[in-house]
Amino acid sequence: MTMTRYVFDQLPAEGRERLRRLAVDVSFPDGTRIFEEGRWADRFWIIRRGQVALDLHVPGRHAAVVGTLGSGDLLGWSWLLPPYTWHLGAEAVRPVEAEEFDATLVRALCEADPVFGRAVYRGVAEVVALRLRASRTRMLDLYGPQGSGPAR
């Protein structure tokens, strides 16, 4: 089982093994909607192969792709924090093979073992922070004034 390069690095070996026992192998053909923005977030995935586009609903338009994920990436973090609803949508743009995890079971493990829980929360927070920085950079590239202001 391949763990994402960010999320589970901090887990002790026994924590990684507990997660391995919860993993279910799944696959999604290209074009499959994996989840929809605003719906219940009850699971997450570690992508083994393939590519997933993350998108944002834009009223009156097609969904805007805000990022893509691939091998080794965590797909879904909304399952970890209330109200447990997806902040984005996700669609397989290349056939995906992944390990799926039941969010309720993982949250229960986090509550039962504070060391494990802290490592999971920290790992997911690092992923969210990396994606926020990447989104900020994309937004500046798209909408920032070109050549305005002094160079740093």
Side-chain angles (χ1 to χ4, degrees), residues 2 13-14 16-17 20 24 39-40 45-46 66 70 72 76 83 88 90-91 94 103 113 124 132 141-142 146:
T2 302
E14 64 273 7
R16 286 190 302 273
E17 185 53 39
R20 282 187 181 101
V24 175
R39 298 237 176 113
W40 183 246
W45 302 263
I46 302 298
V66 296
L88 300 169
E91 184 171 319
R94 288 193 200 137
D113 181 345
V124 173
L132 181 59
D141 287 346
L142 289 172
Q146 301 299 317

Side-chain angles (χ1 to χ4, degrees), residues 13 15 28 31 47 51 60 63 68-69 71 73-74 80 96 108 117 121-122 125 148 152:
F28 303 104
I47 300 170
Q51 189 173 32
T68 56
L69 303 176
S71 179
D73 285 332
L74 170 69
L80 192 56
V96 171
Y121 276 78
R122 182 175 178 171
S148 66
R152 291 187 183 186

Side-chain angles (χ1 to χ4, degrees), residues 121-142:
Y121 276 78
R122 182 175 178 171
V124 173
E126 289 174 3
V127 169
V128 172
L130 286 168
R131 292 189 187 158
L132 181 59
R133 281 193 295 271
S135 294
R136 182 177 186 271
T137 300
R138 276 193 303 278
M139 296 302 280
L140 287 172
D141 287 346
L142 289 172

Side-chain angles (χ1 to χ4, degrees), residues 25-148:
D25 291 332
V26 296
S27 61
F28 303 104
D30 61 325
T32 301
R33 290 297 293 174
I34 300 170
F35 55 83
E36 294 290 343
E37 181 180 351
R39 298 237 176 113
W40 183 246
D42 61 349
R43 62 197 72 229
F44 66 95
W45 302 263
I46 302 298
I47 300 170
R48 265 197 256 123
R49 279 192 248 347
Q51 189 173 32
V52 174
L54 299 174
D55 54 45
L56 180 65
H57 175 73
V58 180
R61 296 183 176 194
H62 291 286
V65 173
V66 296
T68 56
L69 303 176
S71 179
D73 285 332
L74 170 69
L75 173 58
W77 58 265
S78 301
W79 60 273
L80 192 56
L81 301 168
Y84 310 122
T85 56
W86 296 116
H87 289 81
L88 300 169
E91 184 171 319
V93 292
R94 288 193 200 137
V96 171
E97 293 178 18
E99 294 154 337
E100 182 177 274
F101 297 85
D102 181 299
T104 303
L105 295 177
V106 175
R107 285 193 307 265
L109 285 177
C110 290
E111 291 295 320
D113 181 345
V115 172
F116 174 83
R118 187 171 40 254
V120 169
Y121 276 78
R122 182 175 178 171
V124 173
E126 289 174 3
V127 169
V128 172
L130 286 168
R131 292 189 187 158
L132 181 59
R133 281 193 295 271
S135 294
R136 182 177 186 271
T137 300
R138 276 193 303 278
M139 296 302 280
L140 287 172
D141 287 346
L142 289 172
Y143 302 110
Q146 301 299 317
S148 66

